[in-house]
Structures are given as structure tokens and as C-alpha cells.
Amino acid sequence: MLDEANAYERGMDDDLTFQTVRELAGTAYMAGRSAPPTAVEIEAVAKKLLWWDMEADWEDVMPSDDCFWTLAEPEMRASYLRGARIMLEIARKAVTE
């Protein structure tokens, strides 16, 4: 986060101090933490949940979460996406309270 803030600072006016950049970075971080989950975050959690559910069926080489996600029926993916969205919203709510 600070690396991104420092890169942002290099593109700004010279009158920005390190403290100003830290404040901007902190504000951006808090805004991101309280924002609704993104589609990318939701899908990543859904893929991992599906992978965990399939894990018990494999003994040797475990396929990737992308493999299971690709093979899953659309209704199954939709169900995992709903569950992931709910979990992420609960986590975000806990962070902001």
C-alpha cells in the first residue's frame, strides 16, 4: 500500500509530504475495506469454497480451484457465488463496526 502511495506521490505536486501521502493511503485503504466486495473477490472465495468441498474426494494430486470451477455446473457456481458474497459482506461489516 505504501509503495503505491509513494508512486502516486511521485506523480503529484512536490508540496506533498510523506505524512500527506500516508494520510491519503490510509483514507484509500479504509475506503477499500468498507467498500462492497468486488466480483473478483467474490469469485476467488467461491472457487476456494468449491475446492475445499471437493478436496475430500481426492487422495493424490489435487486439481486446482480453477479446474473445479470450470467443471462445475452454472447452478453450482451461482450457489457458491451467493455464499461467497454473503461471507464477504459479513466480514466487511465486522471490519467497519
Side-chain angles (χ1 to χ4, degrees):
M1 176 181 71
L2 286 176
D3 288 344
E4 290 179 8
N6 288 331
Y8 177 78
E9 178 187 23
R10 285 191 291 276
M12 298 295 291
D13 295 333
D14 290 336
D15 63 344
L16 285 178
T17 65
F18 181 74
Q19 184 62 33
T20 304
V21 172
R22 286 185 63 108
E23 290 170 8
L24 290 171
T27 301
Y29 176 79
M30 288 186 292
R33 293 293 292 172
S34 60
T38 66
V40 172
E41 291 171 317
I42 293 167
E43 185 173 306
V45 170
K47 284 181 179 181
K48 189 54 73 176
L49 291 172
L50 175 60
W51 186 86
W52 281 336
D53 285 348
M54 299 297 197
E55 181 178 27
D57 297 336
W58 294 83
E59 294 178 11
D60 295 327
V61 177
M62 183 72 177
S64 71
D65 51 356
D66 286 327
C67 176
F68 288 132
W69 191 252
T70 302
L71 297 174
E73 295 291 328
E75 297 83 19
M76 180 181 263
R77 285 194 300 259
S79 176
Y80 277 91
L81 288 168
R82 274 190 304 278
R85 181 179 300 111
I86 291 167
M87 287 181 195
L88 286 168
E89 287 172 354
I90 290 167
R92 291 273 165 80
K93 184 177 179 185
V95 167
T96 58
E97 289 183 345

